Amino acid sequence: MPAAVTPAPPSESSISTLSQWALIRRRFAHHQLAVASLYLLAVLYVIALGAEFFAPYPRQWRDLARAYCPPQLPRFSPEHGIYVPAMKRQVDPLTFKKSYIEDPAQVVELGVFVRGHTYEFWGLFTWDRHFFGVKDPEENLRADGTPRTFFYLGADKYGQDILSRLIYGSRISLSVGLVSIAVTFLLGVTIGGISGYVGGGVDNFIQRVIEVINAFPQIPLWLAFGAVLPADWSPLSTYFAITLVLSLLGWTGLARVVRGKILSLREEDYAMAARLLGASHTRVLFRHLLPGFTSHIIVVLTMSVPAMILGETSLSFLQLGLRPPIVSWGVMLQDCLSIQTVANYPWLLMPVVLIVLTVLCFNFLGDGLRDAADPYSTK
Amino acid sequence: MNAPNGHVGAVTVQPLLSVRGLCKHFPVMSRGFCSKVVAVVKAVDDVSFDLAPSETLGLVGESGSGKTTTARCVLRAIDPSAGEVFFRLPDGRMVDLATLPARELKPIRQHAQMVFQDPYSSLNPRMTVGDIVGEPLVIHGLARGEELEVRVAEVLARVGLKPEHRLRYPHAFSGWQRQRIGIARALIMKPSLIVCDEATSALDVSVQAQVLDLLKELQREFRLTYLFVAHNLDVVRNFCDRVAVMRKGRIVELAPTTQIFAAPQHAYTKILLSAVPSPDPDVRMNFNVGEELAKLDAAPQP
Amino acid sequence: MSDADPGTDPAHLPLLEVENLEVSFFTPDGVVPAVQGVTFSIARGRTLALVGESGSGKSVTSYSILRLIQPPGRIVGGRMLLRSARAGDIDIAQLGEESEMLYKVRGGLVSMIFQEPMTALSPVHTVGSQIAEAILIHQKLNPTQARGLTIEMLKKVGIANAEQRYDHYPHELSGGMRQRVVIAMALVCKPELLIADEPTTALDVTIQAQILGLIKTLQRELGCSVLLITHDFGVVAQMADDVAVMYRGQIVERGDVRAVLKNPQHAYTRALLDALPSRRHAALQSARAAAELAPAEVKS
């Protein structure tokens, strides 16, 4: 008699030919917070890439007459379209504190795709259109003949537009994480891989080195690195030096993950099966072991981007990293070193909002990826 | 090289595999920074047996008896501490797998293969079934492209899978279908020896029977020789020609299957047989094996 | 709620009556029914074996009795009436998730031993303290009395040097020893029903024989009923009084163990039994006899 019936494989035959990555995508799509974070990060990076277009004003532009101008919320009327009332500066006769009041008589009309300062876009072409800004700046003049200005998120002490600086700053702040994790990836996978696959004394030595690195207090170490960086280096060199510092301290976590995964996967029967088929060590490592945890590497890397971003911010805030004229979120926060400034001009803290948002997005994304990473975990 | 003829276990034809004095000792390290060897665990201790072509030898024992370690030493998945593993190649040459340099081992892998216990962990979840089954041919450069596809489809058909299963991933299959994939992978190079490491233990009883039937058919068709490792005497009953019962790294009894079941000689074999729960409610099993084993251990070893 | 039926002697009513139990798993890909309309009862002091292949729903059924089904699984219907001598009649299916009575049922009136003893034992506490904790939760005893009772129980399950073993951690014990500890933990509160979910599947044959013998002895001593979940007809034949065969979430055959094993009615039961190595051996022998061949000449 035909013997027992085995439970039929899941009816959805589509699932059976799905690769690991397809399964990961399926499961990732269920994690709504992670998907939303992914889209938000994509928007942030697109804006960073097209900073010249998205920022209303150029990087070094300033309007000294509007120092510490508060944020202006655009309004709408059928007559003027989108507009903001112009600002009038007042000086307190006693304290000499400058403040701004709205002047309803004067209107600054705003628009999208407006003509403004010309810029060279990634060396590809020259253009003068901006995503959002003051309509026809040449005609929109004040009584003294200077162009009228608009500060969506306020202005700093030099009258620089915070929104524009945030957008230019995101170029540095968002990329510093990516560049650092590239270095982290190389260091972590190589050193962790060697540690796990070779094992023995080598493994022991590498693990002790990792422990020593992890035992260093970070801030004094940063101080030391900051002191080493020559003050006359070009902004670009400083930037790369900072990424290197961040990744030199950051690779240890990844190395541990890689080592642990290799150690556990080496014991899987399929690794032994491959060896018994006559596969070489290289083949076992690259064909059988590494694909087993590429997803985990991606997760670890995603989760470590926030640390890199925060690291850059902290370094720059402590004036150990990037310095003006480079614009980064950390550099912008240097203005917030005094509590009085923060109390009087809270909009200077805007970079913090973006940092928190970015870090949260990366963490949610990492969470979603981690849950999706092993499609076999609940099977 | 003295190619031995069968002296152990009444094999008179020229053996395919001849194991002599196989030992595998694991050092036990003391804890602490400077670890020292404080003891030696004799996982396999002076094991000898012969395996004739097209024969099936069952290696039965409980966990810790050294049966799996023996099987792995035979295929050089781990290096034995001492002893010889003579293996007859198709051209008639005898090689000692135990001492062969790793480089010379690779071509021999074509002739000796393994089927694993756990059908879940023995298949790489990241590879398609076609890639898994075809991998041996790729590694040894035996087939490529069109020919590879054809041979994979052939061997899949032979173990009862459809050619279109080639594109699926292991997670789409049930335990016994996975085990078929594992068998196909071992079979595709047409080896002469297949070591089955508890190949049916992880499966349901009803499915075990089917896997055993399949192995039996393949044996007849391809003149395969099996070294069949099992922890269950019941399974080897219909499947093996001879059975070696292992305990504490040694073979305590090696005899034809019918003899092991009808007239077991060694006390341990008797205990093992009596401990198997019979599916006949009127044949009571022995619940007192604990005391009997203790008595066995207390008695002086011959 | 108790003694609804004073006319009948409660001792003769079954201890547990499961009626039309339905359990489904609500996965993102759809609703998967795991148990469909399962009905059975366990008499006092008897052993019922629930036998089936993996995926047949036998473990889900046993987990339902302790209400251990985790989301996305849910009990969607049915009745599980436990006629407890100590706590009266309880419909386990109706108990609230946080109710006092459910805690009383779990580990007190009904306890469970698992296939893998390590999952039932916490690796960071000594085995003795874990058993003592179970006592302190369900019985009004002080810690010293609990310790004494624990050691007594450890001796009862055949652990030598029980006083010393009390302070051992689970990883210091062998698999068979751990299963003995789990049995001690399950039986220390004198449950009325013991659920044994594949208690010996992970163990060697000789250890299995000892553990099965232990369960049998302790059952006789404590007078509890046993629900034995297994896939092994050998274990069923040796341990059970009654048997229920499960296939795809349903019970296909139910009855006295002798009747079912010797004269199976359902085709599925017959197929399962025919797949047993010993049955196949017997079939082979009779085939040989029929072909009038001496067994020695048959080269299989």
Side-chain angles (χ1 to χ4, degrees):
Chain A
M1 115 155 260
V5 206
T6 45
S11 55
E12 62 274 37
S13 64
S14 59
I15 247 195
S16 51
T17 50
L18 289 178
S19 73
Q20 178 206 6
W21 293 107
L23 284 172
I24 288 182
R25 270 202 299 280
R26 256 173 77 107
R27 213 196 280 190
F28 182 76
H30 284 297
H31 204 301
Q32 287 162 355
L33 206 53
V35 174
S37 300
L38 182 66
Y39 282 124
L40 196 55
L41 284 173
V43 169
L44 285 176
Y45 274 95
V46 165
I47 291 179
L49 278 176
E52 285 87 354
F53 171 67
F54 288 103
Y57 295 105
R59 190 195 316 247
Q60 304 302 351
W61 177 89
R62 58 184 59 180
D63 180 3
L64 281 168
R66 290 288 177 274
Y68 291 131
C69 177
Q72 297 170 284
L73 204 63
R75 292 155 210 195
F76 181 79
S77 77
E79 185 190 346
H80 299 295
I82 307 170
Y83 76 100
V84 282
M87 287 301 212
K88 208 156 59 178
R89 183 150 74 164
Q90 281 186 326
V91 181
D92 189 305
L94 285 179
T95 60
F96 292 105
K97 195 187 155 195
K98 291 166 195 139
S99 63
Y100 293 87
I101 54 159
E102 288 177 358
D103 179 3
Q106 307 285 340
V107 162
V108 183
E109 285 187 11
L110 307 173
V112 286
F113 295 108
V114 290
R115 232 168 252 292
H117 299 262
T118 50
Y119 53 84
E120 205 172 311
F121 195 79
W122 290 103
L124 294 175
F125 55 88
T126 337
W127 211 20
D128 61 353
R129 293 277 175 185
H130 290 262
F131 181 60
F132 189 63
V134 180
K135 230 182 221 173
D136 308 320
E138 282 88 17
E139 292 144 36
N140 236 328
L141 297 177
R142 293 194 197 111
D144 60 359
T146 52
R148 290 189 188 282
T149 49
F150 154 65
F151 299 101
Y152 179 56
L153 293 177
D156 66 5
K157 62 183 167 191
Y158 303 118
Q160 293 174 313
D161 178 34
I162 294 206
L163 176 66
S164 302
R165 283 170 65 80
L166 277 178
I167 291 176
Y168 279 106
S170 69
R171 228 177 225 183
I172 301 284
S173 294
L174 291 178
S175 67
V176 90
L178 295 189
V179 175
S180 318
I181 59 164
V183 182
T184 305
F185 171 77
L186 282 178
L187 285 173
V189 170
T190 318
I191 300 179
I194 292 173
S195 187
Y197 202 72
V198 178
V202 177
D203 179 36
N204 217 351
F205 176 73
I206 292 176
Q207 291 312 305
R208 296 301 86 77
V209 169
I210 288 179
E211 272 152 26
V212 169
I213 290 178
N214 284 347
F216 269 114
Q218 279 202 323
I219 301 231
L221 208 59
W222 283 345
L223 282 167
F225 277 117
V228 169
L229 288 186
D232 55 349
W233 270 18
S234 73
L236 200 68
S237 318
T238 324
Y239 171 78
F240 280 110
I242 293 294
T243 58
L244 209 63
V245 169
L246 290 172
S247 40
L248 279 179
L249 297 176
W251 61 271
T252 53
L254 181 67
R256 288 220 149 147
V257 170
V258 170
R259 168 186 176 264
K261 274 283 157 194
I262 287 196
L263 279 182
S264 69
L265 288 180
R266 223 171 45 166
E267 299 307 312
E268 290 278 325
D269 278 351
Y270 64 78
M272 178 186 271
R275 279 222 312 283
L276 286 181
L277 295 174
S280 61
H281 284 297
T282 333
R283 190 181 170 91
V284 172
L285 191 60
F286 287 99
R287 186 89 173 91
H288 293 278
L289 296 185
L290 271 177
F293 60 96
T294 39
S295 51
H296 291 265
I297 293 179
I298 292 171
V299 171
V300 172
L301 291 180
T302 313
M303 297 288 237
S304 59
V305 173
M308 301 293 180
I309 292 176
L310 288 174
E312 183 274 325
T313 312
S314 320
L315 278 174
S316 302
F317 177 72
L318 294 172
Q319 309 196 343
L320 299 171
L322 302 167
R323 301 180 185 98
I326 301 177
V327 188
S328 86
W329 295 345
V331 171
M332 290 175 75
L333 284 177
Q334 286 175 8
D335 290 345
C336 304
L337 280 171
S338 107
I339 185 73
Q340 269 160 336
T341 326
V342 175
N344 285 330
Y345 316 113
W347 54 90
L348 291 182
L349 283 175
M350 265 322 283
V352 173
V353 175
L354 270 181
I355 291 168
V356 170
L357 187 72
T358 315
V359 168
L360 276 182
C361 280
F362 269 110
N363 281 339
F364 287 141
L365 179 67
D367 260 354
L369 284 175
R370 187 186 50 207
D371 292 348
D374 212 339
Y376 313 103
S377 59
T378 58
K379 296 243 161 185
Chain B
M1 193 193 296
N2 59 330
N5 276 330
H7 296 298
V8 181
V11 177
T12 46
V13 285
Q14 286 234 307
L16 177 81
L17 181 77
S18 179
V19 176
R20 285 292 170 278
L22 189 71
C23 292
K24 179 65 191 176
H25 298 173
F26 292 103
V28 180
M29 298 299 213
S30 63
R31 288 189 188 174
F33 200 71
C34 305
S35 47
K36 279 179 295 189
V37 178
V38 289
V40 167
V41 174
K42 295 183 174 177
V44 178
D45 189 15
D46 192 18
V47 162
S48 303
F49 59 85
D50 281 347
L51 201 48
S54 306
E55 189 195 23
T56 305
L57 175 69
L59 210 52
V60 179
E62 300 194 277
S63 49
S65 63
K67 56 187 191 303
T68 297
T69 314
T70 305
R72 293 189 170 182
C73 283
V74 165
L75 284 189
R76 264 292 281 286
I78 45 180
D79 292 336
S81 313
E84 286 126 21
V85 179
F86 292 107
F87 178 65
R88 187 178 299 280
L89 295 179
D91 59 11
R93 268 188 310 137
M94 283 296 250
V95 288
D96 182 6
L97 294 179
T99 54
L100 212 60
R103 198 165 19 87
E104 291 170 43
L105 215 50
K106 185 179 168 183
I108 292 168
R109 300 268 182 230
Q110 298 178 33
H111 309 297
Q113 271 306 312
M114 191 162 195
V115 175
F116 288 82
Q117 167 177 15
D118 185 350
Y120 290 86
S121 85
S122 63
L123 306 179
N124 189 340
R126 271 87 187 173
M127 287 165 75
T128 62
V129 170
D131 286 344
I132 291 172
V133 173
E135 193 182 16
L137 297 181
V138 174
I139 289 174
H140 292 274
L142 295 176
R144 272 192 303 165
E146 186 86 354
E147 194 198 343
L148 181 70
E149 296 272 298
V150 170
R151 284 187 66 178
V152 167
E154 254 173 36
V155 77
L156 283 179
R158 190 58 207 86
V159 298
L161 293 170
K162 296 195 188 100
E164 60 263 32
H165 287 159
R166 221 170 57 242
L167 304 173
R168 296 195 181 176
Y169 286 84
H171 64 81
F173 294 90
S174 63
W176 71 293
Q177 282 176 313
R178 282 164 180 251
Q179 205 57 304
R180 284 168 191 256
I181 299 167
I183 293 171
R185 172 175 61 187
L187 195 66
I188 196 164
M189 286 192 293
K190 307 247 158 59
S192 44
L193 173 70
I194 293 186
V195 174
C196 303
D197 184 10
E198 307 236 17
T200 60
S201 324
L203 305 173
D204 275 325
V205 178
S206 54
V207 177
Q208 279 182 14
Q210 295 179 44
V211 171
L212 291 177
D213 286 345
L214 175 66
L215 287 173
K216 204 92 232 176
E217 278 172 38
L218 295 174
Q219 179 170 44
R220 258 180 246 124
E221 194 172 329
F222 299 101
R223 296 184 53 73
L224 297 172
T225 308
Y226 290 131
L227 180 61
F228 192 86
V229 178
H231 69 269
N232 192 346
L233 269 172
D234 229 21
V235 176
V236 299
R237 186 166 197 162
N238 305 310
F239 188 71
C240 297
D241 303 311
R242 289 184 303 143
V243 177
V245 179
M246 284 191 76
R247 182 167 194 235
K248 295 184 177 172
R250 290 170 166 274
I251 292 181
V252 297
E253 187 166 359
L254 173 55
T257 311
T258 41
Q259 193 181 320
I260 285 268
F261 281 91
Q265 297 302 305
H266 196 276
Y268 178 67
T269 316
K270 289 178 193 163
I271 296 173
L272 214 51
L273 278 171
S274 72
V276 176
S278 160
D280 184 344
D282 295 323
V283 180
R284 300 318 295 185
M285 67 184 275
N286 175 10
F287 289 112
N288 290 325
V289 292
E291 289 101 82
E292 290 175 21
L293 281 175
K295 232 180 282 169
L296 182 69
D297 284 333
Q301 298 294 320
Chain C
M1 70 193 217
S2 62
D3 293 329
D5 215 350
T8 46
D9 181 0
H12 289 125
L13 290 170
L15 173 71
L16 178 76
E17 277 183 77
V18 174
E19 273 173 35
N20 286 319
L21 181 68
E22 308 258 353
V23 182
S24 293
F25 284 81
F26 296 83
T27 69
D29 297 328
V31 179
V32 182
V35 172
Q36 306 171 51
V38 159
T39 299
F40 62 88
S41 61
I42 306 174
R44 266 166 225 283
R46 304 224 340 151
T47 300
L48 171 75
L50 210 51
V51 62
E53 294 179 280
S54 44
S56 61
K58 55 190 196 304
S59 277
V60 175
T61 306
S62 68
Y63 275 59
S64 306
I65 297 172
L66 281 176
R67 294 284 297 277
L68 292 174
I69 301 289
Q70 299 289 330
R74 216 169 65 212
I75 299 176
V76 286
R79 208 162 73 101
M80 289 181 285
L81 184 66
L82 181 72
R83 289 206 181 79
S84 166
R86 273 183 263 159
D89 292 2
I90 306 157
D91 183 358
I92 298 174
Q94 298 301 322
L95 291 179
E97 207 57 65
E98 299 291 325
S99 68
E100 197 69 23
M101 189 54 93
L102 187 58
Y103 285 111
K104 205 167 172 176
V105 169
R106 280 185 197 155
L109 305 174
V110 180
S111 55
M112 187 155 181
I113 42 187
F114 299 88
Q115 172 175 356
E116 181 41 67
M118 261 327 237
T119 58
L121 295 171
S122 155
V124 296
H125 294 111
T126 63
V127 293
S129 65
Q130 295 185 50
I131 301 175
E133 198 193 340
I135 299 174
L136 291 172
I137 290 172
H138 291 286
Q139 296 177 31
K140 289 188 181 65
L141 291 176
N142 65 40
T144 327
Q145 290 170 314
R147 187 188 167 94
L149 191 58
T150 303
I151 290 173
E152 190 187 316
M153 200 64 213
L154 286 176
K155 282 181 182 155
K156 207 179 265 181
V157 295
I159 290 181
N161 303 328
E163 283 88 353
Q164 282 93 58
R165 291 289 182 197
Y166 186 98
D167 295 316
H168 280 209
Y169 289 91
H171 65 86
E172 297 175 287
L173 306 177
S174 68
M177 200 85 94
R178 277 181 214 145
Q179 198 58 290
R180 285 173 192 268
V181 169
V182 172
I183 291 174
M185 194 151 64
L187 294 181
V188 75
C189 293
K190 302 200 165 48
E192 297 180 42
L193 174 65
L194 174 69
I195 301 175
D197 187 1
E198 306 257 8
T200 56
T201 308
L203 302 175
D204 279 323
V205 198
T206 53
I207 311 287
Q208 161 171 288
Q210 297 172 52
I211 296 292
L212 291 180
L214 180 67
I215 293 177
K216 244 186 147 109
T217 318
L218 290 175
Q219 179 191 10
R220 215 174 299 134
E221 213 168 287
L222 298 172
C224 62
S225 308
V226 175
L227 175 62
L228 180 69
I229 315 292
T230 181
H231 67 269
D232 185 342
F233 272 107
V235 174
V236 173
Q238 300 297 320
M239 297 291 290
D241 304 302
D242 304 291
V243 60
V245 183
M246 273 193 91
Y247 175 60
R248 289 200 176 178
Q250 291 174 328
I251 289 183
V252 296
E253 184 161 3
R254 196 151 50 110
D256 176 75
V257 71
R258 259 188 188 72
V260 172
L261 292 192
K262 297 218 169 203
N263 189 15
Q265 298 301 308
H266 195 276
Y268 176 69
T269 318
R270 274 202 297 275
L272 269 187
L273 285 167
D274 285 342
L276 293 176
S278 52
R279 292 283 178 111
R280 286 156 63 84
H281 183 70
L284 198 64
Q285 294 292 352
S286 53
R288 281 167 179 160
E292 294 189 327
L293 277 171
E297 287 171 33
V298 176
K299 193 88 178 125
S300 52

